[in-house]
């Protein structure tokens, strides 16, 4: 069947995916969703360990590896490495998330490959970086969340540090790696040269702390937990109406005035406890108590209508089922459908960026391990007799 491009945008690029678990596969999924020919290299069935992401038939694996092809190669054998290098010679990009030393031992590090393939863009994703005192440590999402400082500012004040409810370090590292790959491919158009780029879960999380890092690096302020409330913009957080919880976000003096009028409390604007940002920060608890007291008189739908009419940001707090029933979710058409030959119709979230001329879609369900091995190897010049021999020797 060959390559099925999910978009025309990156159709001309081939990516060799040497990754596993989540961060690396996420980077490659980003490229596959925009049309790149992503070839996932996996260990042969007889050598595989426990399946990651819940097994190949699991929803997590299916979501992460859509729009890719799969080849199996035994990288412990010289024939497997040779086949991989032949495959890489046809590619624009290699993505790997081995321990930093493994690629050198296998002879598939950037310097070794670039000697024969100077246009190669080579992306490495690790837990803590390619060098430094932690470079050889195993890196996992929750470890990065904790060491980056994210968990120290997440959760209810006075309680234990709290992880974010998604693997945010993995996902961000993967998305940043994909962004770096695209930057390198753009630069290659002028220089004709590839390059090595690398990121890590740890770096990605430090970057994602955003204004919290500037609060420390510029202002010297060590952020603390703020629970469901914004640490610096007050009132912004989770509040309770008569029939349940909702979010309200009040940013700036003009919106603060609008909010007070909607709440039926115009006196808050001039109240010395609340009249400016600093005062509201000091008196956060008393203000929040008064807000909740007034909200309790009506249902969320009433307040949402009032706030939206007045230009104050607000919204319900949906569970997963409610998210996908939401009319705006349905209008945005972010849920795509693909048919798996084995598992039937599957619904998945597509890309959150809409390109009007070269949109992304899902054209292929996640492949079985090695589903496209022979198809790909034949394009590299291996004939049937050689493939039989390679298979008998466990090369693929």
């Amino acid at each position: 069947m060959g390559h099925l491009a999910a978009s025309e945008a990156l159709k001309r690029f081939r990516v060799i995916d040497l990754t596993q678990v989540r961060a690396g596969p996420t980077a490659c999924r980003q490229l596959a969703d925009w049309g790149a020919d992503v070839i996932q290299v996996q260990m042969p069935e007889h050598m595989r360990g426990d399946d990651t992401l819940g097994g190949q038939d699991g929803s997590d694996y299916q979501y992460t590896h859509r729009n890719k092809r799969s080849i199996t190669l035994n990288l412990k054998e010289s024939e497997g490495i040779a086949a991989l290098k032949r495959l890489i010679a046809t590619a624009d990009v290699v993505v790997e998330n081995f321990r930093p030393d493994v690629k050198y031992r296998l002879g598939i590090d950037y310097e070794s490959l670039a000697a024969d393939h100077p246009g190669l863009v080579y992306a490495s994703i690790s837990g803590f970086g390619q060098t430094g005192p932690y470079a050889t440590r195993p890196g996992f999402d929750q470890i990065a969340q904790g060491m980056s400082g994210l968990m120290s500012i997440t959760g209810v004040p006075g309680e234990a540090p709290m992880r974010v409810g998604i693997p945010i370090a993995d996902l961000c590292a993967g998305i940043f790696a994909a962004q770096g790959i695209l930057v390198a491919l753009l630069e290659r158009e002028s220089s004709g040269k590839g390059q090595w780029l690398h990121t890590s879960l740890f770096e990605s999380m430090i970057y994602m702390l955003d204004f919290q890092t500037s609060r420390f690096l510029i202002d010297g302020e060590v952020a603390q937990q703020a629970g469901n409330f914004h640490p610096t913009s007050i009132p912004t957080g989770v509040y309770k109406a008569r029939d349940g919880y909702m979010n309200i976000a009040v940013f700036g003096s003009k919106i603060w005035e609008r909010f007070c009028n909607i709440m039926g409390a115009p006196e808050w604007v001039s109240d010395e406890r609340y009249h400016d940002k600093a005062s509201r920060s000091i008196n956060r608890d008393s203000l929040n108590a008064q807000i909740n007291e007034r909200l309790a008189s009506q249902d969320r739908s009433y307040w949402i209508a009032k706030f939206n009419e007045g230009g104050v940001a607000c919204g319900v707090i949906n569970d997963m089922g409610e998210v996908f029933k939401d009319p705006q979710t349905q209008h945005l058409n972010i849920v795509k459908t693909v048919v798996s030959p084995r598992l039937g119709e599957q619904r998945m979230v597509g890309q959150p960026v809409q390109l009007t001329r070269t949109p992304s879609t899902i054209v292929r369900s996640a492949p079985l391990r090695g589903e496209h091995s022979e198809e790909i190897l034949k394009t590299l010049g291996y004939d049937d007799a050689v493939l039989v021999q390679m298979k008998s020797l466990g090369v693929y």
Side-chain angles (χ1 to χ4, degrees):
M1 183 181 295
H3 174 40
L4 292 176
S7 170
E8 293 295 314
L10 301 180
K11 184 178 179 179
R12 67 189 186 277
F13 297 113
R14 173 171 284 184
V15 178
I16 308 306
D17 178 358
L18 300 177
T19 69
Q20 56 183 335
V21 190
R22 193 179 305 275
T26 294
C28 295
R29 181 192 65 211
Q30 291 300 103
L31 302 174
D33 278 3
W34 291 108
D37 180 13
V38 175
I39 299 176
Q40 180 186 14
V41 179
Q42 300 176 282
M43 294 296 282
E45 182 70 24
H46 69 279
M47 298 183 63
R48 71 179 180 87
D50 292 335
D51 279 324
T52 58
L53 303 180
Q56 291 203 325
D57 287 349
S59 59
D60 198 356
Y61 189 94
Q62 291 290 310
Y63 173 71
T64 303
H65 293 288
R66 71 211 190 181
N67 285 332
K68 302 179 184 180
R69 294 192 285 168
S70 172
I71 182 175
T72 53
L73 288 173
N74 182 353
L75 301 185
K76 295 183 178 181
E77 297 290 341
S78 59
E79 293 89 345
I81 292 292
L84 175 61
K85 289 182 175 179
R86 193 182 293 193
L87 180 60
I88 289 172
T90 71
D92 301 279
V93 179
V94 168
V95 187
E96 62 86 16
N97 63 351
F98 299 120
R99 293 191 315 273
D101 61 306
V102 171
K103 53 184 169 288
Y104 296 101
R105 178 162 49 81
L106 295 176
I108 54 172
D109 55 283
Y110 171 71
E111 291 82 2
S112 298
L113 296 175
D116 297 319
H117 194 350
L120 182 67
V121 171
Y122 190 105
S124 297
I125 306 172
S126 62
F128 297 98
Q130 297 297 304
T131 58
Y134 302 159
T136 59
R137 287 188 181 186
F140 290 92
D141 177 89
Q142 186 151 340
I143 307 305
Q145 286 196 38
M147 293 181 68
S148 68
L150 176 61
M151 290 175 64
S152 76
I153 59 172
T154 306
V156 178
E159 295 189 3
M162 181 71 68
R163 69 181 291 275
V164 175
I166 57 172
I168 192 169
D170 281 330
L171 297 175
C172 288
I175 291 170
F176 288 144
Q179 180 184 33
I181 289 166
L182 295 177
V183 171
L185 288 172
L186 280 172
E187 192 280 335
R188 189 179 73 170
E189 292 184 359
S190 59
S191 70
K193 299 177 181 179
Q195 59 184 301
W196 182 29
L197 63 100
H198 47 84
T199 188
S200 66
L201 277 62
F202 189 48
E203 290 167 274
S204 296
M205 282 299 88
I206 293 173
Y207 182 83
M208 287 299 292
L209 288 174
D210 198 68
F211 74 92
Q212 298 286 30
T213 63
S214 62
R215 288 177 71 190
F216 174 72
L217 294 173
I218 297 174
D219 301 331
E221 182 178 352
V222 177
Q224 304 295 320
Q225 292 166 305
N228 282 323
F229 295 96
H230 194 282
T232 60
S233 180
I234 297 134
T236 295
V238 175
Y239 297 91
K240 191 173 184 180
R242 185 164 61 191
D243 64 339
Y245 292 97
M246 61 183 293
N247 277 312
I248 303 172
V250 178
F251 286 84
S253 58
K254 292 295 184 183
I255 297 178
W256 166 242
E257 291 179 16
R258 294 181 205 162
F259 173 77
C260 294
N261 288 327
I262 294 168
M263 293 295 295
E267 67 275 11
W268 289 351
V269 175
S270 56
D271 191 317
E272 63 180 12
R273 296 173 299 169
Y274 312 135
H275 76 281
D276 61 20
K277 183 177 177 180
S279 299
R280 292 196 294 275
S281 180
I282 294 170
N283 298 288
R284 175 201 301 262
D285 291 343
S286 65
L287 177 59
N288 284 339
Q290 291 190 66
I291 292 171
N292 277 325
E293 183 179 352
R294 289 176 179 266
L295 289 173
S297 66
Q298 300 287 344
D299 289 348
R300 289 174 295 179
S301 59
Y302 170 87
W303 292 114
I304 288 171
K306 286 289 187 182
F307 288 135
N308 280 313
E309 181 182 347
V312 177
C314 65
V316 296
I317 299 173
N318 289 323
D319 63 25
M320 284 298 102
E322 291 165 336
V323 169
F324 293 104
K325 293 177 183 175
D326 191 292
Q328 187 66 22
T329 304
Q330 295 177 3
H331 171 79
L332 291 171
N333 195 32
I334 196 171
V335 176
K336 308 297 182 184
T337 300
V338 66
V339 177
S340 166
R342 296 179 304 105
L343 303 175
E345 185 174 284
Q346 299 175 325
R347 297 169 69 233
M348 300 179 185
V349 171
Q351 285 293 318
V353 179
Q354 307 303 319
L355 272 63
T356 56
R357 188 168 52 79
T358 57
S360 167
T361 188
I362 305 175
V363 295
R364 192 197 295 267
S365 61
L368 278 171
R369 180 187 300 272
E371 180 177 338
H372 307 98
S373 294
E374 293 188 2
E375 168 188 303
I376 294 168
L377 289 169
K378 284 182 179 179
T379 67
L380 302 178
Y382 292 98
D383 61 29
D384 289 337
V386 173
L387 291 177
V388 170
Q389 184 180 22
M390 290 172 66
K391 189 69 172 178
S392 68
L393 295 174
V395 176
Y396 77 93

